[in-house]
């Protein structure tokens, strides 16, 4: 941590600040300049609250040098984390494609979709039973019933299930679910993250609409510091001023997160763009930028989908997109995971 | 709702779409142009999912004409909503100032602050017992103990208590709390909103960091459609590219929300700016733009605050800011509420 | 400037870097930590390119401590700059209101508007002769003819003229114009700024749609470092994700710029919001936040305006808004300037 | 164009509006709903100013159905535009890589770089002679001298030259330059665009930091409607809240612009990210998303570059990146252009 002091700070003030800082078990170094004085801190500064330091009258600016995340930090865990999900491996070089409808709408719909996406090469099945919708008047998902249908689809196809959890109080319903997804709007629902940290379930953590990559890693840290190391990060587009796409896919986040963290990372091109015509090119970008997988919305009848129809592929178009994805995965020297 | 069709749509396709739309009990009108065809819908379109319409092959663009919020909509409730909180009235012309520390740190700290802010003219006390912190390693609040200390401070001063609720599972601890705050990061925690909608507690709903005003009103709608009409909206700054301030206070949101909705609206200049020197000018802006109140962070010893010190006023500076606020409230022809 | 080095940097590398830095006539101080090493620079670092330092292999992060603007910096010029314009004083405590149509459309239109806004209390006249329009098919302004009409309106009313210059090649046409406006889209048209810096005309410099406050001050610095100290800054809204308003007025920019710089600052609520109903409340915010003036669009017949009609006040509504502005100016203890 | 009227509009008002609209030679259709009335316009509405319509008292909302760009619109020119530059073809399936330093610093530097990038497979040479720098105190480029050195480098290597023009007044100096670049900060410098529209030079038009794709196409339209059809679009990152990268590369802009327009599109990963480690993955994304080329910064000695060192590749690392780019171009079934 580097603390830049104001011009007119007195020696007494500096001493007071230094004394306080040393209560955190760090060493301090003072540089005296013509126009400014700077204190450099040596040691573990994660316990020092940046804003409390900023609050001091004499402080002009504070800058953290160490990243505030530890468990998720590649610096301390150079090896890629690999998460096992029913014989699939997320993160170890294999490429996974999670596909399925935005919402589970019926037993028939989800089983049909599961069979279709498996046929096309998907390695896991997604489908929302609990749906975070902007409007209380929109379809909110089938809930418990939806989870049951998902498990039937798993029985039918062998595909592991990825589905969103919206509340700690639903946790017991997710016992047989393979991967618990935390949606963008809940990325900083810290109470939920803490509870998920106490399970050993793989967690698919989506980046919030306006959250920085550091905040995403800090949310992963909430789960990991509570004991659960099975976190998969997901880039799904951020909110910008551009109105043509639903969100803006931040594709450079993939190689950057790979540098900063050892956790697996996947891309959701469906929510990132909101347009079916962009799913194929964005999927290929995910592959060449180093992502470990994709999450793609597929619906047997997008026109009549109860949610997010505009961004759903049909099984036929998904098959064609998958052909390109598989070729691209091979091009980058990786392999599709077990299907 | 206005649906713009693609150039090459056939009559058969149009008929199919019209049939489907009419299942929602709306009337349709078709305009045939040279380059485009447009369908206008008449009736209650809130049940029609915009994205499902967008998903149809033949649809070029869809535009909602009616606002999707009903309970919060001024069009259907022209009178201002007034929320009674221990003889204070939020929304009926009176001006309220909620003040206190970011976090409750000790019984002594919160009682001292309560006495000080009451003396300066604050009408309610704020203080966090459960704290949403970006880092799991930061101080997370005193929890239940913090709520107890707040209630002691209320006993001492008579100031009603405003404090954040982060999880449905804590709801029973908040029985004696006067106003339940939903933080920016939980603005779209829909499960929490639904449960709060089943209580009759006043809810202070903060705008998310990157949420539109329509989304804020839709989150209010979640609470209201579940039965609780006591919602206070709060503008607390949005996330932009400007790095000098913590967030960017969207001050035009105040008169706009007043036009669109009958709900009371307050401003949080502390989180919006993150700088004590900006609290006075932004507070005056809140008053002249028509806000019903303010929420301001005050700490007896900001330098040693466990959170958000950089934006906390001391009791002395709060007193001086309050003098200006009171004068400004008088200037706009309003009155400070009971203190 | 503070330079954080990478963990694994060698002494030889550090020496090489230090030697290079010292060619800029600064002193260097090295702090050796457990996990990182930091170099603090003492002296005038404005000549050192931040990005060149960042480019060095061994550098983890660079942070400027000194602000990069000098001429515009309040630190070196504590007194407010006051700019004289035909007996008006912008910046010395007096409050100025610049009003007029988006575009000059005819001699009659601009003279009528000038008379009307003067009557209501405006202290200067605005009107676009050269118009920056997103579309080449939109009305581009009357050009030279428009400037002539503006000068006739000045002759009629005595109001000084504020109008936008879009190209260095037009400069000779602006000889009799009182204030040259640089539009948001040209805020970083550095060739234009340099040329304007060689004149002695007051320059009204508008903040770009996505420019930081530091960048705004650096653009002022372009003008000032070329010799022209008569720069008036203008906040006119920034681009965010919120669709309800044309832009988002960054009202906290006013007190912040006042802290950082000695230059006068005005607010343009018309472009910031794009909605006539928001002009009065945003104007009052400008006054109470410390702005030195306002620029407001007024058109005798907004319905038939050739540009920006949606945000234009009629002379009647302008008069009513001016009543509130005048009262507010008095409330903050300032005076309206000569009208 | 679709115009939604306010609830309480009278028939007399509607007639007045319809009469006015018909002066633009369009047909109008009125839909009367329960809660709203809508007018649909048929015909060429590009001449009708959206904001003037919005300004009418009775208008609730206006929505354009037709895109406002014509010359750049793929709807009216389904074939890809191909631009010939010294036997290279930008846009017709061939893939071009423009490489070189941010700034021309000396004859030796630019010739060395030209030889190196040609050897690695670059098809054109870039280098700034006039540099748009945020600070007036930063290196502003060698100007005319820089252009001379670029032409010497062309003579040496045969690589066509791409370099930025910042002012209409420099136009005669660019006579022998092959491609004139318009920088992000000048994307809406409309006077410059108009003048470039009167030349027949290929123009490389960079997207502004906070400009929408529609605005980018409208700026292309400025050039094209003045007669110059040789416009190459360039995505170079937009400004968001994410601080880790210099900008956020909007990769979905590539396939979207390809859908909307027939103009060639290239990607600048150097400015988009500001980090050398991200250039390779982002370059591959450009290829697989359908871009026609890349513009990459290469400097023989990035550590001592006078500008933008942090994002410059060395000739060696550029060679290695080019290997991957070439493989990827082959993977998508395209060919590298003449080198």
């Amino acid at each position: 941590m580097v603390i830049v002091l104001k011009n007119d700070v007195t020696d007494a003030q500096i001493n007071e600040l230094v004394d306080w800082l040393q209560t955190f078990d760090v060493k301090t170094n003072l540089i005296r300049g013509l126009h400014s004085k700077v204190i450099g801190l040596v040691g573990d500064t994660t316990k020092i609250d940046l804003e409390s330091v900023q609050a001091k009258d004499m402080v002009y600016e504070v800058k953290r040098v160490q990243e505030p995340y530890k468990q998720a930090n590649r610096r301390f865990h150079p090896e890629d984390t690999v998460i096992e999900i029913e014989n699939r491996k997320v993160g170890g070089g294999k490429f996974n494609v999670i596909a399925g409808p935005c919402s589970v709408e019926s037993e028939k719909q989800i089983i049909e979709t599961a069979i279709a996406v498996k046929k096309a090469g998907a390695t896991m099945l997604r489908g929302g039973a609990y749906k975070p919708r902007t409007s209380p008047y929109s379809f909110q998902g089938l809930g418990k019933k939806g989870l049951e249908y998902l498990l039937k689809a798993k029985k039918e196809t062998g595909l592991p299930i990825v589905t969103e959890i919206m509340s700690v109080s639903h946790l017991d319903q997710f016992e047989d679910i393979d991967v618990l997804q935390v949606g963008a709007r809940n990325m900083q629902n810290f109470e939920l993250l803490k509870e998920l940290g106490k399970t050993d379930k793989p967690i698919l953590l989506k980046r919030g609409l306006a959250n920085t990559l550091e905040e995403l890693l800090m949310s992963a840290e909430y789960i990991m510091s509570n004991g659960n190391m099975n976190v998969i990060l997901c880039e799904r587009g951020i909110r910008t001023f551009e109105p043509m796409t639903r969100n803006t896919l931040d594709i450079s986040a993939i190689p950057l997160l790979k540098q900063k963290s050892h956790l697996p990372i996947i891309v959701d091109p469906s929510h990132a763009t909101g347009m079916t015509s962009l799913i194929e090119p964005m999927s290929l970008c995910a592959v060449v930028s180093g992502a470990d997988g994709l999450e793609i919305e597929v619906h047997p009848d997008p026109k009549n989908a109860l949610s997010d129809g505009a961004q759903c592929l049909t099984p036929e178009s998904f098959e064609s997109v998958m052909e390109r994805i598989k070729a691209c995965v091979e091009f980058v020297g990786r392999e599709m995971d077990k299907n």
Side-chain angles (χ1 to χ4, degrees), chain A:
Chain A
M1 191 177 281
V2 173
I3 303 173
V4 183
L5 303 176
K6 288 192 184 151
N7 280 355
D8 52 357
V9 63
T10 64
D11 280 2
Q13 285 178 303
I14 294 177
N15 291 339
E16 189 194 336
L17 179 61
V18 164
D19 287 350
W20 178 76
L21 288 166
Q22 288 173 346
T23 65
F24 293 94
D25 267 334
V26 294
K27 287 209 296 183
T28 59
N29 289 279
L30 179 68
I31 306 171
R32 290 172 186 275
L34 282 179
H35 293 291
S36 57
K37 298 182 183 67
V38 174
I39 298 178
L41 302 194
V42 178
D44 178 6
T45 61
T46 47
K47 295 266 167 61
I48 306 181
D49 188 56
L50 210 77
E51 291 179 344
S52 301
V53 181
Q54 185 72 65
K56 313 278 174 191
D57 274 349
M58 74 203 79
V59 172
Y60 176 79
E61 195 159 35
V62 194
K63 188 77 201 151
R64 206 178 271 289
V65 175
Q66 282 178 293
E67 287 108 349
Y69 41 96
K70 294 177 172 179
Q71 305 285 355
N73 200 327
R74 190 178 281 278
R75 197 184 287 233
F76 308 122
H77 306 71
E79 301 286 302
D80 279 347
T81 281
V82 180
I83 299 174
E84 288 235 10
I85 301 161
E86 300 269 320
N87 293 322
R88 280 80 177 166
K89 289 193 164 114
V90 181
K94 294 293 177 69
F95 196 85
N96 278 275
V97 177
I98 306 165
C102 180
S103 303
V104 180
E105 296 169 10
S106 69
E107 186 175 328
K108 182 168 171 292
Q109 172 242 25
I110 192 67
I111 291 181
E112 270 182 29
T113 311
I115 293 171
V117 300
K118 178 165 188 175
K119 180 168 157 275
T123 61
M124 301 193 219
L125 178 67
R126 63 151 286 155
Y130 290 96
K131 296 300 308 168
R133 304 301 302 274
T134 304
S135 166
Y137 310 121
S138 296
F139 176 58
Q140 306 275 316
L142 295 180
K144 214 166 167 174
K145 208 81 201 155
L147 297 176
E148 281 169 31
Y149 296 157
L150 283 165
L151 292 173
K152 283 194 185 164
K154 177 179 178 183
K155 210 166 162 187
E156 201 75 33
T157 59
L159 293 179
I161 301 302
V162 180
T163 191
E164 180 162 350
I165 184 160
M166 287 176 65
S167 175
V168 171
S169 65
H170 300 157
L171 204 46
D172 55 342
Q173 298 174 28
F174 284 71
E175 207 171 331
D176 296 326
I177 300 299
D178 301 285
V179 180
L180 275 50
Q181 179 170 308
V182 176
R185 285 161 188 78
N186 276 322
M187 191 199 95
Q188 293 192 315
N189 180 342
F190 301 119
E191 294 297 316
L192 179 60
L193 300 179
K194 283 180 197 171
E195 291 306 315
L196 296 178
K198 294 173 191 160
T199 73
D200 59 357
K201 291 280 186 194
I203 308 296
L204 179 53
L205 179 64
K206 294 196 144 188
R207 182 182 184 182
L209 279 78
N211 286 109
T212 63
L213 298 178
E214 186 171 301
E215 286 169 344
L216 173 60
L217 290 170
M218 290 311 289
S219 285
E221 200 79 12
Y222 259 95
I223 300 169
M224 298 171 88
S225 65
N226 277 280
N228 184 354
M229 298 296 153
N230 300 313
V231 179
I232 304 164
L233 305 174
C234 179
E235 161 63 29
R236 43 79 71 211
I238 57 173
R239 194 162 265 190
T240 70
F241 57 83
E242 173 59 53
M244 270 199 211
T245 41
R246 184 167 170 169
N247 294 289
T248 298
L249 178 64
D250 179 6
I251 192 70
S252 66
I254 311 308
L256 250 178
L257 286 171
K258 281 280 170 197
Q259 286 173 26
K260 300 285 180 186
S261 177
H262 51 90
L263 295 174
I265 300 151
I266 68 165
V267 170
D268 173 350
S270 305
H271 285 88
T273 65
M275 293 170 73
T276 50
S277 62
L278 300 180
I279 302 212
E280 180 178 305
M282 294 306 100
S283 295
L284 302 185
C285 288
V287 176
V288 298
S289 66
D292 297 299
L294 285 158
E295 185 171 29
I296 297 179
E297 290 199 357
V298 179
H299 191 286
D301 183 13
K303 293 199 294 283
N304 292 310
L306 294 179
S307 58
D308 277 355
Q311 66 197 35
C312 273
L313 295 180
T314 58
E316 294 68 38
S317 51
F318 177 62
E319 215 174 310
S320 133
V321 169
M322 279 299 289
E323 287 315 301
R324 293 294 293 155
I325 291 172
K326 287 175 196 168
C328 198
V329 165
E330 199 181 323
F331 165 69
V332 298
R334 298 176 76 164
E335 255 180 283
M336 292 296 297
D337 209 340
K338 183 172 172 299
N339 155 245

